[in-house]
Amino acid sequence: MVRPHLPLNALRAFEASARHLSFTRAAIELCVTQAAVSHQVKSLESHLNVTLFERLPRGLMLTHEGETLLPALREAFDRIAGTLERFEGGHFREVLRVGAVGTFAVGWLLARLRDFHARHPFVDLRLSTNNNRVDIAAEGLDYAIRFGSGAWHGVDAVRLLQAPLSPLCVPAIAEKLRTPADLLRFTLLRSYRADEWPRWFAAAGLSTNMPLTKSIVFDSSLAMMEAAQQGAGVALAPPLMFSRHLQADTVRQPFDTAVTLGSYWLTRLQSRAETRAMVAFRDWLVDAASAEGI
């Protein structure tokens, strides 16, 4: 069927009736009479030479042909509606899907998004968070902001910020820490990387072979810092991402020593061509990160 001959009004009437299984409720949604909806559906059935509904005493039931037609129409109308919603103030808003490790999103990115939207109002940003494990292709992301070395297969990576790790804890614990060795008297909170605390102790001038006290492993720095704020132990986390906590004095950094085990990177699939929204976000993010001087 050629597009100029598509019976759009009849298709809308059928789709609404199929969702509600009622001509009456479809008529209310479409702001027409029940008779008009019924007429349009009958017209479509005649056009296709099939029966789309079984008319029951208390409603409608889709036939096999109706069940076949409904998903295609629902998807098509949803896509049209979604596209039209992206027009705002005479401009087309381009969707940008970004996944970010939660620590970076909460600790750094969110506070700066107002500036991004002010500069690039045409971008409809969809932000999701993760614990640094992300599948860009499977999740349909344009970009992923992740922590690591920058070496991911099939991915282009732009370094944003270094994130040195240092002990962070509540003031009550910090007041009991005179030397790095005092940390061994407390529960050490860490990520899944078992080498983090040994490398920090080495940077602090202590033996890497010393037996560590009990520890708790987290898959998220946000959860780890929440535990630290509850007094569960001392976290090894990036102070840059928890500057608000430090400024509020809910946590303290008892020692200046820090160890760098990775950076935050903006990544995208090499096979993914950059859109106008992607370029705008990348340039803004790189500039904002450069202003940190880290």
Side-chain angles (χ1 to χ4, degrees):
M1 187 179 298
V2 293
R3 289 186 182 183
H5 296 159
L6 287 175
L8 294 178
N9 287 335
L11 291 172
R12 288 183 65 212
F14 164 74
E15 193 272 340
S17 300
R19 275 190 289 107
H20 294 292
L21 291 178
S22 167
F23 289 151
T24 300
R25 289 196 291 270
I28 293 173
E29 176 182 316
L30 298 175
C31 298
V32 297
T33 65
Q34 185 267 355
V37 172
S38 178
H39 175 74
Q40 288 288 356
V41 171
K42 287 180 181 178
S43 173
L44 182 62
E45 289 176 322
S46 175
H47 190 79
L48 299 176
N49 196 29
V50 298
T51 300
L52 298 172
F53 290 110
E54 294 288 344
R55 276 73 169 174
L56 304 176
R58 294 185 177 275
L60 303 171
M61 182 176 71
L62 285 166
T63 64
H64 174 71
E65 290 79 8
E67 290 177 341
T68 301
L69 179 59
L70 178 59
L73 289 181
R74 178 179 292 160
E75 179 183 358
F77 286 142
D78 285 347
R79 291 183 63 184
I80 292 171
T83 299
L84 293 179
E85 286 175 357
R86 288 159 58 187
F87 284 88
E88 183 177 302
H91 299 283
F92 180 72
R93 291 172 59 81
E94 186 174 332
V95 173
L96 177 67
R97 295 177 173 85
V98 177
V101 59
T103 307
F104 184 90
V106 175
W108 192 89
L109 181 60
L110 295 184
R112 294 165 174 79
L113 285 184
R114 181 182 298 180
D115 177 70
F116 173 72
H117 284 302
R119 294 172 183 266
H120 305 288
F122 76 93
V123 179
D124 184 2
L125 179 62
R126 311 287 174 87
L127 180 65
S128 60
T129 59
N130 56 65
N131 63 352
N132 210 43
R133 292 179 174 87
V134 61
D135 187 329
I136 299 179
E139 297 178 32
L141 298 174
D142 297 303
Y143 282 125
I145 300 171
R146 59 179 86 178
F147 180 82
S149 65
W152 291 281
H153 178 70
V155 166
D156 277 340
V158 177
R159 193 177 77 83
L160 299 173
L161 294 168
Q162 287 185 342
L165 306 179
S166 190
L168 300 176
C169 58
V170 293
I173 293 179
E175 291 169 359
K176 299 176 183 179
L177 300 175
R178 297 289 180 259
T179 69
D182 292 336
L183 288 164
L184 298 174
R185 296 189 286 111
F186 296 91
T187 300
L188 302 181
L189 314 180
R190 66 172 178 85
S191 76
Y192 60 89
R193 289 189 54 163
D195 65 332
E196 288 181 345
W197 274 110
R199 291 180 65 172
W200 185 87
F201 280 120
L206 299 179
S207 171
T208 57
N209 296 321
M210 67 173 60
L212 299 183
T213 60
K214 59 182 178 180
S215 64
I216 303 176
V217 179
F218 296 84
D219 71 348
S220 162
S221 292
L222 294 177
M224 177 170 58
M225 280 303 301
E226 180 61 29
Q229 290 184 89
Q230 298 294 333
V234 182
L236 191 61
L240 176 64
M241 296 297 135
F242 299 97
S243 58
R244 288 185 293 113
H245 301 75
L246 291 166
Q247 291 169 4
D249 199 36
T250 56
V251 298
R252 293 180 184 174
Q253 181 181 351
F255 306 106
D256 291 334
T257 302
V259 59
T260 299
L261 303 182
S263 301
Y264 288 103
W265 300 78
L266 178 66
T267 67
R268 68 173 175 87
L269 294 176
Q270 292 175 343
S271 58
R272 176 72 167 100
E274 287 185 297
T275 64
R276 187 165 69 108
M278 291 176 69
V279 172
F281 184 74
R282 181 201 65 205
D283 290 348
W284 170 83
L285 189 61
V286 169
D287 287 345
S290 297
E292 295 285 347
I294 299 176

